[in-house]
Every structure is written in C-alpha cells, then in structure tokens.
Amino acid sequence: QHADLKLAIPAIIFGAVGTCGQRCTSTRRLIIDEAIYDEFVPKIKKAYESLTSRIGHPMEANTLIGPLIDGDAVENMLHTLSEAEKQGGKRLCGGEILSGEHFDTGTYITPALVEISADAAVVQHETFAPILYLMKYGTLEEAIRINNHVPQGLSSAIFTDNMKESERFL
C-alpha cells in the first residue's frame, strides 16, 4: 500500500525476467496488498505485455529476456502454467513460445503472469522459468506468513515507503 509503483514495477520486472527465471533468486511470487491490488495488476500486466520487443539474443544491447536454457525448460514452464490453471490460477499473459527467424531454437518464451492463491501447491515449488505469481494479502503479518510458507530458502524484498513496515519485514 505504501510502495512507489513507478520504482517497484521496473525492479520487479528485472527481478522476475532479467535472467529469464533461471536463477534461484529470480522473483517468483509477488505478494500484493489487497488495497492496491486492483490498481497494480493492470500496470504490471501492461508492462509485461510490452516485453516482447525486448526478447532476443542475450548478446544484443536491447535484449532484456534471453532464451530458456533448453527445450526441457520450456516444457517444464508450460507444464507448470497448466498445473497453476488446474489449481485455480488465472494466466493473465505470457507463456507463448516465439517462432521465426530469431527464435528458431524454440526456447524463447514470453514471461507469464499468473493470479493464484498463495496456498496453491504449484506456488510451493521452484520453476526455473519466467513465471510470476500474483497473490493478495490483507495485513503485513499475512504477507510475511505467505512469504515464509515455502520449503526453499528465500531471497526476499519489500517495496514500501513505510519504515515501520520495512523494519517489521526484516
């Protein structure tokens, strides 16, 4: 609720897709205050939809998103998106394999946004792919519980201008 979205959205996008989801510290879950959720989601969706022009060869200067590591990673991403939908998730965008002259390997895929419950089983597993799960929280304590309720070790961040929230999160 106290986040500067003009700063948060670019940071979130880079954290979620800058390495195409292929590192254990990629942003995978976005836990959003329900007070700003309806304002925030269209903004992040619009930003994600604009990323297609930034997908390409990793050595090109304008590229933000390179390929997944191999065809198995693509299949794993598509399987995970299917599982998320079976578990009540709603894909807002992404998950399309790109084709054409620059994308002949079949490993270039658009990053996906999925609205889903924090309790969905698929959210509890790491998928090394550019999938960002969006989930709501009501109180900071609930957000911290959601954040900590996965078996993996975590790299986490909070976007807030409220020092008390920041201290509590830490």
Side-chain angles (χ1 to χ4, degrees):
Q1 178 176 358
H2 304 287
D4 181 340
L5 299 184
K6 289 180 182 173
L7 295 175
I9 289 175
I12 291 164
I13 289 172
F14 184 77
V17 304
T19 57
C20 215
Q22 296 185 55
R23 63 178 179 177
C24 61
T25 56
S26 292
T27 305
R28 305 207 191 295
R29 298 177 305 147
L30 199 53
I31 305 163
I32 308 160
D33 189 324
E34 63 189 18
I36 65 164
Y37 191 87
D38 291 337
E39 170 193 356
F40 176 81
V41 170
K43 290 178 181 181
I44 192 90
K45 183 177 181 233
K46 181 179 178 183
Y48 257 62
E49 290 171 341
S50 75
L51 292 174
T52 303
S53 66
R54 304 286 308 274
I55 299 173
H57 191 284
M59 299 303 284
E60 293 177 9
N62 191 45
T63 296
L64 174 62
I65 305 163
L68 292 184
I69 194 162
D70 59 25
D72 289 342
V74 172
E75 289 304 315
N76 190 30
M77 179 174 173
L78 296 176
H79 173 75
T80 299
L81 289 170
S82 175
E83 285 300 308
E85 289 172 346
K86 288 177 188 173
Q87 295 173 28
K90 177 183 174 188
R91 187 183 335 179
L92 301 179
C93 65
E96 292 86 26
I97 299 171
L98 300 176
S99 60
E101 62 183 273
H102 301 293
F103 307 114
D104 60 349
T105 63
T107 55
Y108 290 88
I109 192 162
T110 57
L113 287 177
V114 178
E115 286 184 311
I116 197 162
S117 166
D119 296 326
V122 73
V123 174
Q124 307 305 313
H125 301 283
E126 286 187 291
T127 302
F128 290 91
I131 300 171
L132 182 59
Y133 298 114
L134 309 179
M135 51 198 74
K136 294 179 188 180
Y137 75 89
T139 65
L140 183 60
E141 287 69 28
E142 181 185 4
I144 292 169
R145 181 194 59 77
I146 292 168
N147 182 66
N148 292 333
H149 190 68
V150 292
Q152 303 90 357
L154 297 172
S155 172
S156 302
I158 185 171
F159 291 96
T160 184
D161 289 335
N162 182 307
M163 187 61 81
K164 287 182 181 181
E165 282 184 348
S166 178
E167 290 291 329
R168 174 68 181 122
F169 176 78
L170 291 173

